[in-house]
Amino acid sequence: NYACQFFGYEPQELIGRKLTETIVPPVDSTGADLEGRMGNILAEPEKYRTQENENLTRKGERVWVRWRNEPVYDESGELKGLLSIGNDLTEHKRTEQQLLEYQDKLRSLALQLSLAEEQERHRISDAIHDDIVQDLAFTKMQLAMLAKQPLETEIAPVVQELYDGVVDVIQRLRTLSFELSPSVLYRLGLAATAEWLTERMVERSGFQAHVEADLGETEIPQEIQITAYQCLRELLANAAK
């Protein structure tokens, strides 16, 4: 019959032998105790009318089968056996496992892309803060020194306007630098950054929020800190809308 062909046994090879000696492995590939489950099925067949489990062919190949079990009783109501009909789920399970592995790869790729994006944001943030802002700060100092010198009436307002403009640009660039990638995350860690970000969003948007982030001496990998920071930033941004 088909079952014997599927599992690779002759009928006489199965008669008188336990399932766990033939088509059911004692333990499946996930570590589940199938031998114990077979005992439970015989003890309480009504609870196991339908089940899925790993099976084993004669060649040692692991296959998945969905079983429909119908208990067979004698006239006195005593269990005499089980009539089991199985559907081969092996290809379905393999496809399901491939999909799970594909999803894991996608999640890993998304994390890598997110980390790469954050690293680039951090690089740009550093360039703005360490190069552009510093150059502008030097220009501001020169304009401040120039403003203290005796100047013609029409030049003094221009110098002051330039000075004010440079101050404004420096402030906006610092804000942009922090929004791109807060240096506090790399200097002081996740807890301080979470508190800083929350306070900043509350001041800007006016909603009520409070963060308690006491991580003690816990060492958190940088990629997890970055991901947690991005999640908190997105959460607060949504709350502010």
Side-chain angles (χ1 to χ4, degrees):
N1 60 39
Y2 177 77
C4 289
Q5 294 176 8
F6 179 78
F7 288 109
Y9 285 95
E10 294 296 330
Q12 61 269 22
E13 294 178 293
L14 299 174
I15 297 174
R17 298 176 66 185
K18 294 170 59 177
L19 288 175
T20 50
E21 295 175 349
T22 53
I23 66 172
V24 178
V27 179
D28 73 10
S29 56
T30 67
D33 178 15
L34 294 185
E35 187 167 18
R37 184 185 298 177
M38 294 303 105
N40 293 337
I41 292 173
L42 292 175
E44 299 179 284
E46 299 295 338
K47 291 185 178 181
Y48 295 91
R49 286 185 175 273
T50 302
Q51 64 164 25
E52 295 178 7
N53 62 264
E54 230 175 25
N55 286 87
L56 198 63
T57 69
R58 184 172 184 175
K59 294 181 179 180
E61 179 186 1
R62 299 257 175 170
V63 293
W64 276 89
V65 179
R66 177 186 291 122
W67 293 101
R68 171 67 181 177
N69 303 313
E70 193 66 35
V72 178
Y73 299 97
D74 62 14
E75 294 179 355
S76 64
E78 183 180 351
L79 180 67
K80 302 302 293 183
L82 289 174
L83 176 62
S84 298
I85 300 174
N87 292 325
D88 181 16
L89 299 179
T90 306
E91 286 304 315
H92 172 77
K93 289 291 184 178
R94 286 174 180 168
T95 301
E96 188 179 77
Q97 182 60 35
Q98 289 173 353
L99 286 174
L100 291 174
E101 292 174 357
Y102 181 64
Q103 289 174 349
D104 286 341
K105 290 180 180 178
L106 285 179
R107 279 192 290 268
S108 177
L109 179 59
L111 177 59
Q112 292 177 29
L113 289 173
S114 178
L115 293 176
E117 177 189 359
E118 177 57 33
Q119 289 170 357
E120 182 63 15
R121 290 165 69 98
H122 184 54
R123 185 190 67 78
I124 295 173
S125 175
D126 280 350
I128 291 173
H129 183 270
D130 296 341
D131 297 332
I132 301 175
V133 171
Q134 295 303 321
D135 289 344
L136 286 172
F138 181 70
T139 301
K140 184 185 76 169
M141 291 174 57
Q142 290 180 313
L143 287 171
M145 293 174 60
L146 181 60
K148 294 179 180 180
Q149 304 298 321
L151 299 173
E152 296 181 9
T153 305
E154 64 273 12
I155 295 180
V158 175
V159 172
Q160 184 62 44
E161 184 177 351
L162 287 172
Y163 178 85
D164 293 340
V166 169
V167 170
D168 180 61
V169 170
I170 289 174
Q171 182 57 44
R172 284 190 288 164
L173 284 174
R174 283 175 175 165
T175 300
L176 175 61
S177 176
F178 272 108
E179 290 179 347
L180 278 171
S181 180
S183 59
V184 67
L185 178 61
Y186 296 88
R187 290 189 289 105
L188 301 180
L190 180 61
T193 304
E195 293 174 357
W196 168 82
L197 178 62
T198 303
E199 291 173 1
R200 185 177 182 82
M201 291 296 292
V202 167
E203 291 174 1
R204 178 183 296 179
S205 303
F207 65 90
Q208 296 297 316
H210 176 68
V211 171
E212 292 185 7
D214 183 10
L215 301 177
E217 300 298 324
T218 305
E219 292 187 9
I220 302 176
Q222 189 176 81
E223 60 269 21
I224 295 180
Q225 293 191 52
I226 291 173
T227 302
Y229 167 75
Q230 291 173 334
C231 292
L232 178 59
R233 182 176 60 190
E234 185 69 20
L235 177 65
L236 293 171
N238 289 335
K241 293 179 180 179

